[in-house]
Amino acid sequence: MFHVIIPARYASTRLPGKPLQDILGKPMIQHVWEQACRSTAESVTIATDDQRIVDACRGFGADVVMTRPDHPSGTDRLQEVVTQLGLDDQAHVVNVQGDEPLIPPTLIDQVAADLRAWPEASIATLAERLEDVDTLFNPNAVKVVTDQQGFALYFSRAPMPWCRDDFAAGRPAALPEGVPFRRHIGLYAYKVGFLHDYVRWPASPLESSESLEQLRALWFGCRIHVADACEVPPAGVDTPEDLQRVRQLLAGG
C-alpha cells in the first residue's frame, strides 16, 4: 500500500497560476488528481500553499491540505504533509508533480512497487534510455548513472557517463554505442521515515551546485533505486506552449 501526494504551487515564473489553468473545462490539477486516482494508491492528497487552489480542489472532491509557503524544497513540503496526515515512518508515499496532467497511473504504481521490492532503498525513482546527443548535453535533462543492481551512483545535469575517447574532440554527431546513457524521470517514491531525516540534514555541496535535491540523499548515504520506466511519460507543463500541446492531445488533436 502507498499514498500519493501532489504538490501544487500557485506561483510559476513562466506560467502563473499553473495548477488552475483550464484544460478542457477542468483545472490542470484536477487532471493530475484524476490520473493519480487511477493508480492503486490507498489515498491521493493535494498539497498547496494557496487558498485558490484549496478552493478549486475541494470543488472537485479532492483531499487537500494547506502547507507553509516558505519551504526551501519540494521534499520539505512533502515532509510537512506526511506529518499532517500522521503517516507511519514505514509508510510509502509517491510524489506526483502537479504539472503533469498526462502522468500514466502505471508509472505511479511502478515506482511504488519498486520501493517495496528493494527494502534497502530509501527512495525509488525512474529513468528512460537516452538516445540523442542534444538531450545528453542539455543541462535541463538530468542524467543518472547506476550500478548493476540499479542503485544510483550519481545524478547530473552534465553529460554522463563521459566517454573519454569519443568525446575528446568535443560534442559528437551521434552517441557512442553500448553506453548506458539514461535520462532521469522525476517521479519519486519515498519511505516516510527518510523524509523526516532529510529535512534535518543541511543542503550538500553537490545538491547546491547541481540544483538537484536527490543529491542530498546520496551525500548522506541513502540508497536510491532507479528502474527503467515501463512506458514513456509525456512531458509536463512548464510553458504556455506546453499547456496548448496538452489541450490538443486531450482533445484528440
Side-chain angles (χ1 to χ4, degrees):
M1 302 295 287
F2 66 97
H3 306 267
V4 168
I5 297 173
I6 307 172
R9 294 179 63 249
Y10 189 88
S12 172
T13 303
R14 289 183 286 182
L15 190 59
K18 183 163 57 172
L20 300 183
Q21 291 290 330
D22 181 82
I23 300 177
L24 302 185
K26 300 177 184 178
M28 180 166 63
I29 189 62
Q30 183 174 352
H31 288 274
V32 181
W33 176 78
E34 289 175 349
Q35 290 297 94
C37 288
R38 294 186 180 105
S39 73
T40 61
E42 183 176 350
S43 69
V44 178
T45 304
I46 297 169
T48 185
D49 58 2
D50 192 281
Q51 188 62 45
R52 289 166 289 190
I53 296 175
V54 170
D55 294 341
C57 293
R58 287 176 177 163
F60 57 79
D63 291 329
V64 58
V65 297
M66 182 75 86
T67 63
R68 295 187 354 239
D70 58 346
H71 285 298
S73 73
T75 310
D76 291 88
R77 188 178 309 279
L78 201 64
Q79 187 270 341
E80 182 189 353
V81 177
V82 300
T83 301
Q84 287 194 41
L85 296 178
L87 297 182
D88 184 84
D89 281 2
Q90 299 305 311
H92 293 182
V93 297
V94 175
N95 183 18
V96 175
Q97 295 301 319
D99 58 4
E100 297 194 22
L102 303 177
I103 182 73
T106 52
L107 291 186
I108 299 173
D109 287 338
Q110 182 189 6
V111 74
D114 195 58
L115 185 59
R116 290 195 301 271
W118 296 93
E120 60 268 59
S122 298
I123 307 172
T125 189
L126 302 176
E128 64 179 347
R129 186 173 176 179
L130 194 159
E131 299 184 343
D132 66 276
V133 173
D134 286 345
T135 303
L136 181 66
F137 282 81
N138 180 356
N140 293 317
V142 177
K143 278 67 68 173
V144 60
V145 171
T146 68
D147 66 15
Q148 62 179 346
Q149 289 186 303
F151 286 100
L153 297 173
Y154 194 63
F155 297 84
S156 183
R157 298 184 183 278
M160 68 173 198
W162 184 263
C163 299
R164 185 191 62 179
D165 295 337
D166 295 282
F167 297 169
R171 181 167 168 161
L175 293 179
E177 294 184 3
V179 181
F181 296 112
R182 297 168 79 194
R183 185 184 75 85
H184 178 225
I185 296 169
L187 182 65
Y188 294 96
Y190 300 95
K191 291 178 179 174
V192 167
F194 161 80
L195 293 171
H196 296 316
D197 290 335
Y198 182 93
V199 298
R200 291 193 291 264
W201 296 329
S204 73
L206 297 177
E207 171 192 2
S208 299
S209 62
E210 294 256 22
S211 191
L212 296 174
E213 294 176 38
Q214 63 269 40
L215 293 178
R216 189 187 310 184
L218 293 183
W219 180 266
F220 284 96
C222 293
R223 305 196 77 185
I224 303 175
H225 194 264
V226 185
D228 288 320
C230 61
E231 63 177 288
V232 177
V237 175
D238 288 321
T239 66
E241 293 75 22
D242 294 337
L243 181 63
Q244 187 57 33
R245 173 183 52 79
V246 169
R247 286 170 173 159
Q248 292 173 347
L249 285 171
L250 288 176

